[in-house]
């Protein structure tokens, strides 16, 4: 973490935990590993533990700059950042519910979409418009892979807007 300490180190560790959760279930979502609803529920709980208020509290004013990878836009567009944190929490709750549904037809869920390659990333509801945000119950009614895709799209949208690219 480039010598990060304090709150910056804590949030980097939280982001790493979510990244590990994504990587642990992605092969399952792609049909490359046996489906395990309990493993998906565990990943969803990891997202929930590090989203919403738990996420925004890790970005106090003045905690940007190196070694942080957070862009100044986090604090310049706090409402947008907070909305994405809330959306992640809601979608992760839905993902936990959707784990019981199993995988849907993978014909519509390509590997690129699983890791943020979908056109949905560019705008609209994925960019934190509260009026367009789906409920946890609506996400929970989807096949697990669709719910996973929507949840990880929130991560991708937030990173695109608020995280500096690694060099």
């Amino acid at each position: 973490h480039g010598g990060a300490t304090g709150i910056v180190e804590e949030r980097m560790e939280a982001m790493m935990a979510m990244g590990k959760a994504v990587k642990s279930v992605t092969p399952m979502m792609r049909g490359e590993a046996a489906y395990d609803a309990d493993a998906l529920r565990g990943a969803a709980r990891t997202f929930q533990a590090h989203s919403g208020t738990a996420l925004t509290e890790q970005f106090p004013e003045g905690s940007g700059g190196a070694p942080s990878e957070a862009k100044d836009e986090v604090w310049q567009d706090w409402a947008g950042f907070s909305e994405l944190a809330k959306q992640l929490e809601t979608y992760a709750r839905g993902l936990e519910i959707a784990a019981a549904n199993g995988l849907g037809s993978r014909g519509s869920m390509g590997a690129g979409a699983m890791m943020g390659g979908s056109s949905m990333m560019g705008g609209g509801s994925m960019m934190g418009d509260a009026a367009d945000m789906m409920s946890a119950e609506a996400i929970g009614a989807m096949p697990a892979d669709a719910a996973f895709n929507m949840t990880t799209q929130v991560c991708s949208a937030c990173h695109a807007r608020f995280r500096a690219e690694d060099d």
Side-chain angles (χ1 to χ4, degrees):
H1 294 319
T5 59
I7 195 72
V8 174
E9 181 181 26
E10 289 175 31
R11 72 179 177 229
M12 287 178 163
E13 288 174 0
M15 296 297 174
M16 281 183 51
M18 288 193 284
K20 285 180 184 177
V22 168
K23 288 178 184 173
S24 74
V25 297
T26 294
M28 209 172 31
M29 297 296 98
R30 292 180 175 163
E32 299 167 359
Y35 185 74
D36 181 345
D38 288 333
L40 186 57
R41 282 185 202 96
R45 288 184 196 115
T46 297
F47 304 146
Q48 290 172 60
H50 300 294
S51 60
T53 303
L55 178 61
T56 57
E57 286 177 347
Q58 292 189 314
F59 288 84
E61 188 75 44
S63 66
S68 174
E69 295 173 351
K71 292 181 181 177
D72 290 341
E73 283 84 347
V74 168
W75 299 277
Q76 293 166 357
D77 182 14
W78 187 254
F81 179 73
S82 297
E83 189 60 38
L84 283 170
K86 178 181 169 186
Q87 187 174 13
L88 178 59
E89 182 177 42
T90 299
Y91 284 24
R93 283 197 325 267
L95 177 61
E96 184 177 3
I97 297 165
N101 301 337
L103 300 178
S105 169
R106 285 183 296 283
S108 64
M109 288 274 148
M114 287 298 143
M115 295 307 290
S118 163
S119 62
M120 294 173 74
M121 192 178 97
S125 64
M126 290 296 117
M127 297 305 285
D129 183 347
D132 292 336
M133 186 167 75
M134 293 179 69
S135 69
E137 295 74 21
I139 299 288
M142 298 178 165
D145 49 340
F148 177 76
N149 184 45
M150 292 197 64
T151 303
T152 58
Q153 288 297 323
V154 178
C155 299
S156 296
C158 192
H159 285 188
R161 285 173 65 182
F162 299 113
R163 181 179 181 220
E165 292 297 317
D166 294 334
D167 289 331

